[in-house]
Amino acid sequence: MNYNKIGKFIQEKRKEKNFTQKQLATKINVTDKAVSKWERGLGCPDVSLLKKLSEELDVTVLDILNGEIIDEKSMNKKDFDLYLNDASQISRKNILNKLSAVIAVLIVFISTLLLIFNIKNIILLNKRETSNIYNTENAINYLKEANSKIEIIKNNKGI
């Protein structure tokens, strides 16, 4: 599939219909940026859009995939199958790319959450340990002071 050829064909047919990119995009429920991308040869319409696009441009799906008006009588079944196979492979690649991006974002998000929770737990554990150290030291000091006062009382026999 030649994306440049397909793009020029779409642009030519759109202009013949006196549609702007935005008008064509609205008719087939995509953005004008998608239409622009196709017309610049940077991508190809998704298989799910081909029928609607062909109807709006008054051409066949095969014409779009071929990038020119073709004589259906001269097209054999083998060529037809090749065009459809190419289109479905492109669609699958687009879906896989989008799915891969979503999975990557989810992995980053989950990893970030785990990191945040681990940092939070480490901070809480440090606070507890520090708090326990101070409590232990205070208790030891209190006991030492109490013992010393008890010793004074014992030595003075309560006087």
Side-chain angles (χ1 to χ4, degrees), residues 80-137:
F80 177 78
D81 290 342
L82 282 174
Y83 283 117
L84 288 182
N85 188 31
D86 284 350
S88 66
Q89 284 180 356
I90 289 169
S91 180
R92 269 189 237 121
K93 284 180 185 177
N94 288 341
I95 290 170
L96 287 176
N97 287 341
K98 289 176 184 175
L99 185 60
S100 297
V102 168
I103 289 171
V105 167
L106 283 173
I107 288 172
V108 169
F109 179 72
I110 291 170
S111 298
T112 304
L113 282 177
L114 288 173
L115 181 65
I116 289 170
F117 287 129
N118 282 333
I119 290 172
K120 181 181 173 188
N121 285 334
I122 289 169
I123 290 170
L124 287 175
L125 286 174
N126 283 339
K127 282 183 180 178
R128 283 186 196 143
E129 287 175 12
T130 305
S131 174
N132 287 340
I133 290 170
Y134 289 128
N135 288 340
T136 305
E137 287 177 5

Side-chain angles (χ1 to χ4, degrees), residues 46-58:
D46 188 71
V47 174
S48 63
L49 300 171
L50 289 174
K51 184 174 185 214
K52 182 78 172 156
L53 180 62
S54 68
E55 290 169 358
E56 292 301 330
L57 298 178
D58 289 330

Side-chain angles (χ1 to χ4, degrees), residues 135-147:
N135 288 340
T136 305
E137 287 177 5
N138 287 342
I140 291 171
N141 289 336
Y142 180 77
L143 287 173
K144 284 181 182 176
E145 189 179 324
N147 281 336

